[in-house]
């Protein structure tokens, strides 16, 4: 985690907590926390979203609140700075859960959501041939660098948040530009309710990061909530389900897990996971690794 990322995470926690402290809803705290991370360009979401192999940024996001099990999600949205806000609008302004592709982008534009910056748009329109030898060599070089630095290729920085408000409602959200080397049109776990995100006041809230294909196949967020509902602590639920992910399908992920009584866990089976928490006491706690 870079110092800039640490500062940004800390700022995001302060913004989210301020909303909760003023009695605001958990879903809005989650949206605003994620919104700051999206606009920072420091993570793989919003301004910093990965590109698919045709050079286009297609982003996914979702949000869910646990009082009424309301949820909204956006898949393969383009050119929008805050996919998490588009997801919240799907939740609040429609009777749907998930909008995808160009109509999702049109939906966000109808609500006049801020576009990605011109710089990003220009770089995108410059275009590249994914089949060109130069791109293939660059990708090969990048893989070698990653290996030599003992970094994980999946350290790609999907952003997420979970929160508990004064009314006792939990919420969870996630926003991402996907993974490395994606086919155009690939959609990950983040916009799939139950996979990347889940929230239920009767069990808890979970937001996932990591390689979406494995997270989808084991429906990880809902699986963790189900463990919470049977009495497992957030730490135990996260540990058991992440172990399952590794043992069954060699998956790679990290989780933010929150129970309705305020206990929480941040756990990962990747070498790193930049994350933090704050309950308003002292200063926000931000780290790059959690045991
Ligand atoms: N977890 C983000 C993705 O796989 O797209």
């Amino acid at each position: 985690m870079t110092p800039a990322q640490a500062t940004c995470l800390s700022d995001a926690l302060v913004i989210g907590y301020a909303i909760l402290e003023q009695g605001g809803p958990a879903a809005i705290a989650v949206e605003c926390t994620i919104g700051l991370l999206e606009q920072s360009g420091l993570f793989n979401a919003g301004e910093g979203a990965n590109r698919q192999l045709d050079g286009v940024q297609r982003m996914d996001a979702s949000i869910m609140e646990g009082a009424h099990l309301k949820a909204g999600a956006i898949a393969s949205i383009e050119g929008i700075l805050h996919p998490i806000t588009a997801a919240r609008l799907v939740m609040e302004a429609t009777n749907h859960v998930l909008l995808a592709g160009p109509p999702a982008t049109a939906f966000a534009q109808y609500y006049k959501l801020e576009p990605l910056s011109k710089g990003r748009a220009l770089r995108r329109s410059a275009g590249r041939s994914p089949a060109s030898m130069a791109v293939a060599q660059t990708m090969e070089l990048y893989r070698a660098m990653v290996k030599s630095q003992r970094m994980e290729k999946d350290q790609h920085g999907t952003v997420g948040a979970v929160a508990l408000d004064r009314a006792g409602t939990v919420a969870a959200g996630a926003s991402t530009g996907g993974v490395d080397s994606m086919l155009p049109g690939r959609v990950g776990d983040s916009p799939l309710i139950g996979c990347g995100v889940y929230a239920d006041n009767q069990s808890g809230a979970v937001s996932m990061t990591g390689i979406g294909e494995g997270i989808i196949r084991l429906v990880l967020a809902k699986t963790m909530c189900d463990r919470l509902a049977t009495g497992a602590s957030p730490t135990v639920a996260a540990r058991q389900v992440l172990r399952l992910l590794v043992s069954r399908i060699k998956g790679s992920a990290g989780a933010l897990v929150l129970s309705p009584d305020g206990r929480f866990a941040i756990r990962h089976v990747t070498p790193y996971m930049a994350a933090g928490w704050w309950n308003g006491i002292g200063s926000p706690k931000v780290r790059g690794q959690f045991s």
Side-chain angles (χ1 to χ4, degrees), residues 1 20 43 52 55 74 78 86 108-109 117-119 121 127 145-146 148 170 187 199 202 207 214 245 259 266-267 269:
M1 179 170 53
L20 299 171
F43 302 93
Q52 299 195 323
I74 286 285
E78 294 179 36
Q109 287 166 342
S117 72
K118 275 197 179 128
M145 285 166 58
V146 164
S148 75
V170 293
V187 172
Q202 294 181 11
S207 177
L245 175 73
S259 64
I266 303 172
R267 291 193 77 91
V269 289

Side-chain angles (χ1 to χ4, degrees), residues 44 50 58 60 154 156-159 174-180 182 186-191 196 208-216 252-254:
N44 174 20
N50 279 350
R58 295 185 184 87
D60 302 331
D154 66 355
H156 57 81
T158 291
V159 302
S175 179
T176 188
V179 293
D180 292 336
M182 294 169 283
R186 180 265 185 192
V187 172
D189 60 295
S190 300
M208 299 297 308
T209 182
I211 302 297
E213 281 70 9
I215 297 169
I216 292 168
S252 180

Side-chain angles (χ1 to χ4, degrees), residues 19-286:
I19 290 164
L20 299 171
E21 196 176 31
Q22 290 159 22
I28 299 299
V30 162
E31 179 193 351
C32 292
T33 301
I34 290 175
L36 191 77
L37 303 175
E38 287 175 330
Q39 76 187 43
S40 71
L42 298 170
F43 302 93
N44 174 20
E47 201 66 42
N50 279 350
R51 288 166 198 284
Q52 299 195 323
L53 285 172
D54 58 359
V56 177
Q57 292 168 297
R58 295 185 184 87
M59 298 166 285
D60 302 331
S62 71
I63 192 162
M64 183 166 186
E65 64 80 43
H68 307 286
L69 303 183
K70 288 195 298 183
I74 286 285
S76 280
I77 197 169
E78 294 179 36
I80 299 296
L81 180 59
H82 292 304
I84 191 67
T85 298
R88 198 254 304 156
L89 285 166
V90 172
M91 176 171 80
E92 289 182 349
T94 79
N95 57 358
H96 308 312
V97 169
L98 172 61
L99 293 181
T105 305
F107 172 82
Q109 287 166 342
Y110 172 78
Y111 281 99
K112 302 196 177 348
L113 297 196
E114 194 174 338
L116 286 171
S117 72
K118 275 197 179 128
R120 297 292 293 184
L122 284 175
R123 285 201 288 283
R124 179 178 60 202
S125 67
R128 293 181 304 191
S129 164
S132 75
M133 185 56 76
V135 171
Q137 283 174 345
T138 303
M139 286 172 61
E140 194 55 42
L141 174 62
Y142 174 66
R143 284 192 194 102
M145 285 166 58
V146 164
K147 207 170 162 189
S148 75
Q149 290 171 25
R150 304 180 68 186
M151 290 162 57
E152 272 242 321
K153 201 159 76 66
D154 66 355
Q155 194 188 346
H156 57 81
T158 291
V159 302
V162 293
L164 168 65
D165 65 27
R166 286 194 169 160
T169 288
V170 293
S175 179
T176 188
V179 293
D180 292 336
S181 309
M182 294 169 283
L183 284 173
R186 180 265 185 192
V187 172
D189 60 295
S190 300
L192 302 182
I193 299 301
C195 298
V197 157
Y198 202 73
D200 181 349
N201 285 0
Q202 294 181 11
S203 56
V206 173
S207 177
M208 299 297 308
T209 182
I211 302 297
E213 281 70 9
I215 297 169
I216 292 168
R217 287 157 67 197
L218 284 171
V219 198
L220 284 195
K222 179 66 162 65
T223 301
M224 285 189 194
C225 282
D226 288 348
R227 301 259 169 145
L228 294 174
T230 61
S233 68
T235 301
V236 168
R239 190 173 59 219
Q240 288 178 345
V241 176
L242 288 173
R243 270 192 197 149
L244 188 70
L245 175 73
V246 174
S247 65
R248 286 296 303 274
I249 58 174
K250 295 187 172 53
S252 180
L256 309 173
V257 186
L258 176 66
S259 64
D261 62 8
R263 290 174 296 157
F264 71 92
I266 303 172
R267 291 193 77 91
H268 51 102
V269 289
T270 52
Y272 305 100
M273 178 173 164
W277 74 95
W278 200 34
N279 58 4
I281 299 167
S283 50
K285 311 289 183 297
V286 172

